[in-house]
Amino acid sequence: MLVEFTIGVVCIFVYYYVKFHHTWKYWEHHNVPFVKPSFPFGSSPTISWETFTSPQNFNQTALNEAKKRGFPKVYGTYFFHNPIISICDPELAKHIMVKDFDHFVDRQGEFLAEHATTSHLVDQLWGRQMTALRGDQWKATRNAFTPIFTGGKLKGMIHFIHEVTHDLVTSIGQEADRGTPFELKEKFGRFSMDTIASCAFGVKANSFQEDKSTFAMNAGAMFRNSPMDLMKFVLLVAVPRGRALLECLGVPLQKKAPTMFLYDIITQTVDHRLRTKTRRNDLVDLMIDAMKADPQSSNHPEEPVEDSQFDKDAKLNAPDFQPLNVDEMTLVATAMVILVAGYDTTAQTLAIASFHLARNPDIQEKLHQEIMDAVATMEDDKPYPDYNLIQSLPYLDMVLHETLRINPALGLISRTCTKDYIIPGTNIPLKCGQDAHIYVSAIHMNPDIYPDPKKFDPERFTKESKANRHPYSFLGFGQGPKNCIGMRFALLEAKLALFGVLRSYKFVTCPETIDTYTLDPSSILATPKEPLLVKVEKRK
């Protein structure tokens, strides 16, 4: 029996070894420079032998690959045996995300959609969220939920953010009284968790009152990969009948415990709102409105919105698709991804922005002056700015955009070719089903686009500076119809937090403050590995 098993394993190994090495000729045959693959993972930065042996955050790996090759416009990699085209050029990024969007409607191809999942409820839930949906199903879902994040809807939720900002400022004041270093990621993680829990689900997470918030621990766990998570993925993708084995064992690919925790919170909230007919006009209420609305009618009144290039690119010009009849699973899946994506990313951005402000006191003072000029225009009985005022502060916006340039939450954007395509300006073909990876970090850190790219300099985002750059040289929120649906919410939340803190306090370095940081290899996001320790002082 052991002999037969060994022969079987050897035969499978040989079969895939030969198959993979045959497909690994693709980029060579098309005269495209490529990263040499190794069996069985290939050469994509998303997974490799180094993922297990000498871990490095894949966002950093992607940047290192592009930098090593001199930031080329394109080059090839392989995800297992699948050819991937890597894009490091703003103009080509524009083609893929906007101009030729009809060729790149999906984020993931058939290979992952069909193989890298199971029938378990956990995987089915994540399969229904927007980043996983494909084709017309994605279009209809996006169309149903995009109006939730208009300026008018955000104005209705801003008082929830003000409440949590008050807790944040109180906590910062306590740190000033103690006079000891504190960790920025931990502090802003509490703020972000309470904000998203309140604005989205009407839940009081009490992160500032509790040392270990169950809500925060479960949301944060979604962006951390353990060796077991990687092994499950390899089993599904690379091992014959691997999916059948996981199905038999009842093991989902996605994280079961945190997913079911969030699932229970959301379903209980939705059920309570529907039974009691109570409203907070938060994200859950707005999503319930979308679920109850007649998909054939106009679900949402028209609201004036900022008509930036970003907004124009993000509009769906697809009148031929059928509107979505939102069911509870779609609502829950959408709410889950909003919570998970909105928690860690905003906390991380605020922490890194504050870290750079502490290390650049001249920039911090300029931002403080803008905030105080705005405070002078506020009514005495209003401790926090309204929506229009917070959106009128250009330097605050510049600081956040420079933070996301230096450290985009996700340094790699994936799109799948849905119709055969030729990369513009080349003869490089992409077949239907092949993936394109846009290396955000490579564009953001290209010295030809951003001179001295490691320097923190918000002046890069003045109107004049942006006008002299390619409009797609900043991809902190993606671009086009598949941009970050919660972009406006995330920026509003971050702006209110910095406004509230910097009005009365300033961040300062201390001996424990590091000069630079590396990225956490266990995180899907570009998350700092080292503690970001600073002190805070009360302004006189």
Side-chain angles (χ1 to χ4, degrees), residues 426-495:
T426 76
N427 59 358
I428 302 172
L430 281 187
K431 295 179 181 178
C432 180
Q434 290 182 342
D435 289 344
H437 285 174
I438 299 166
Y439 285 6
V440 176
S441 296
I443 293 174
H444 286 192
M445 298 302 286
N446 187 334
D448 291 334
I449 300 173
Y450 295 100
D452 196 6
K454 291 184 178 181
K455 180 183 178 182
F456 185 79
D457 181 10
E459 298 297 326
R460 300 180 201 272
F461 289 92
T462 62
K463 287 184 179 180
E464 296 76 17
S465 295
K466 290 192 292 185
N468 291 326
R469 269 195 317 268
H470 195 288
Y472 289 78
S473 57
F474 177 78
L475 300 174
F477 293 98
Q479 287 281 10
K482 280 188 176 285
N483 65 45
C484 173
I485 191 172
M487 178 194 73
R488 282 197 176 95
F489 180 84
L491 284 174
L492 176 63
E493 178 187 355
K495 288 176 180 180

Side-chain angles (χ1 to χ4, degrees), residues 87 91 124 146 205 219 235 237 348 368 370 373 388 402 422 427 517 537:
I87 305 294
E91 181 62 23
Q124 293 303 303
T146 292
L235 186 65
V237 173
Q348 173 181 306
H368 172 69
E370 180 181 74
D373 289 344
N388 292 329
E402 175 66 350
I422 302 294
N427 59 358
Y517 55 83
E537 295 177 354

Side-chain angles (χ1 to χ4, degrees), residues 159-180:
H159 63 283
F160 298 131
I161 308 178
H162 288 336
E163 292 172 1
V164 183
T165 302
H166 174 76
D167 292 340
L168 170 67
V169 175
T170 300
S171 181
I172 291 290
Q174 293 168 351
E175 299 293 353
D177 292 339
R178 279 190 283 267
T180 56

Side-chain angles (χ1 to χ4, degrees), residues 135-400:
D136 287 345
Q137 193 176 24
W138 166 79
K139 291 179 185 177
T141 304
R142 176 81 184 208
N143 187 61
F145 289 116
T146 292
I148 291 173
F149 294 98
T150 59
K153 299 296 193 300
L154 293 178
K155 288 178 184 178
M157 287 185 279
I158 196 171
H159 63 283
F160 298 131
I161 308 178
H162 288 336
E163 292 172 1
V164 183
T165 302
H166 174 76
D167 292 340
L168 170 67
V169 175
T170 300
S171 181
I172 291 290
Q174 293 168 351
E175 299 293 353
D177 292 339
R178 279 190 283 267
T180 56
F182 67 97
E183 215 284 311
L184 289 167
K185 291 181 292 179
E186 184 270 340
K187 184 69 68 180
F188 284 113
R190 292 172 185 262
F191 168 77
S192 182
M193 187 74 268
D194 279 13
T195 301
I196 200 80
S198 178
C199 290
F201 313 112
V203 174
K204 189 73 173 175
N206 294 319
S207 298
F208 287 104
Q209 290 74 38
E210 299 177 10
D211 285 340
K212 291 188 179 295
S213 165
T214 306
F215 216 103
M217 286 190 295
N218 280 280
M222 297 305 304
F223 282 118
R224 299 291 183 273
N225 276 334
S226 67
M228 181 56 68
D229 294 322
L230 293 171
M231 288 305 299
K232 285 193 295 183
F233 182 77
V234 171
L235 186 65
L236 270 174
V237 173
V239 177
R241 306 295 295 169
R243 176 176 175 174
L245 176 60
L246 288 183
E247 296 273 12
C248 181
L249 296 173
V251 177
L253 176 64
Q254 301 292 342
K255 299 170 178 62
K256 182 178 179 180
T259 297
M260 295 311 298
F261 172 84
L262 300 175
Y263 173 77
D264 289 341
I265 290 285
I266 296 165
T267 52
Q268 289 168 16
T269 302
V270 171
D271 179 66
H272 179 264
R273 301 284 177 89
L274 291 173
R275 282 190 297 101
T276 63
K277 294 182 169 51
T278 55
R279 283 189 70 88
R280 294 178 81 244
N281 289 317
D282 54 15
L283 292 178
V284 162
D285 281 340
L286 297 174
M287 286 189 282
I288 290 173
D289 292 344
M291 183 171 71
K292 293 162 64 176
D294 177 2
Q296 299 300 327
S297 66
S298 176
N299 293 351
H300 311 276
E302 291 295 321
E303 295 182 13
V305 296
E306 302 94 318
D307 218 10
S308 66
Q309 185 62 44
F310 189 96
D311 295 307
K312 293 174 183 176
D313 294 340
K315 290 176 181 176
L316 288 172
N317 298 314
D320 56 329
F321 72 85
Q322 292 298 311
L324 177 72
N325 187 4
V326 180
D327 58 18
E328 186 168 297
M329 181 172 268
T330 301
L331 185 154
V332 171
T334 304
M336 276 175 43
V337 77
I338 288 171
L339 186 152
V340 172
Y343 161 59
D344 232 4
T345 52
T346 305
Q348 173 181 306
T349 299
L350 280 166
I352 295 170
S354 302
F355 170 76
H356 284 295
L357 290 173
R359 292 183 52 78
N360 295 273
D362 55 331
I363 293 174
Q364 184 173 188
E365 288 308 305
K366 184 172 181 177
L367 178 55
H368 172 69
Q369 188 57 55
E370 180 181 74
I371 289 171
M372 297 313 295
D373 289 344
V375 169
T377 69
M378 292 165 51
E379 298 177 19
D380 292 340
D381 62 338
K382 293 189 176 180
Y384 296 107
D386 61 22
Y387 181 84
N388 292 329
L389 179 58
I390 198 70
Q391 300 290 31
S392 70
L393 306 181
Y395 200 68
L396 177 56
D397 191 73
M398 290 158 58
V399 165
L400 287 170

